[in-house]
Amino acid sequence: MILEIESFQGDIFLIGRNRSFSELKAQIQDIENCYDPETDNFTALLCRKYQFDLLDISVNYDYNYDRDLKKLTRKS
């Protein structure tokens, strides 16, 4: 499964095991509730806690998370 994270700092692509929309949404909400906004360790914490890896290239994604809007969408 590939997750694109959009933010004002640029897009990041992560790869991880397949999970349902509701499971991914709960995991993202968990990280939103506990990450440090001063260091903005959101991505690092998501990767460490839920076993995602960074991708160095832009690819087609399965899910998109817009950090500014705090909205998760599934690619249609």
Side-chain angles (χ1 to χ4, degrees):
M1 182 200 84
I2 297 176
L3 170 64
E4 177 189 36
I5 299 178
E6 285 184 50
S7 73
F8 69 93
Q9 298 170 334
D11 298 346
I12 297 170
F13 292 88
L14 304 177
I15 188 166
R17 69 168 176 78
N18 287 335
R19 55 201 88 196
S20 69
F21 182 86
S22 59
E23 180 183 8
L24 180 59
K25 188 173 182 177
Q27 291 172 350
I28 288 172
Q29 187 60 48
D30 176 47
I31 300 302
E32 283 287 0
N33 291 335
C34 65
Y35 87 101
D36 181 2
E38 286 195 28
T39 61
D40 194 16
N41 64 343
F42 177 88
T43 301
L45 193 55
L46 183 64
C47 287
R48 186 172 59 248
K49 190 166 183 180
Y50 293 110
Q51 294 80 44
F52 281 97
D53 292 309
L54 286 170
L55 288 173
D56 294 335
I57 57 172
S58 294
V59 294
N60 288 328
Y61 58 86
D62 302 299
Y63 296 98
N64 170 277
Y65 181 62
D66 186 322
R67 288 200 58 209
D68 300 322
L69 300 176
K70 301 206 182 327
K71 182 175 181 180
L72 178 66
T73 56
R74 188 176 326 185
K75 185 175 181 180
S76 49

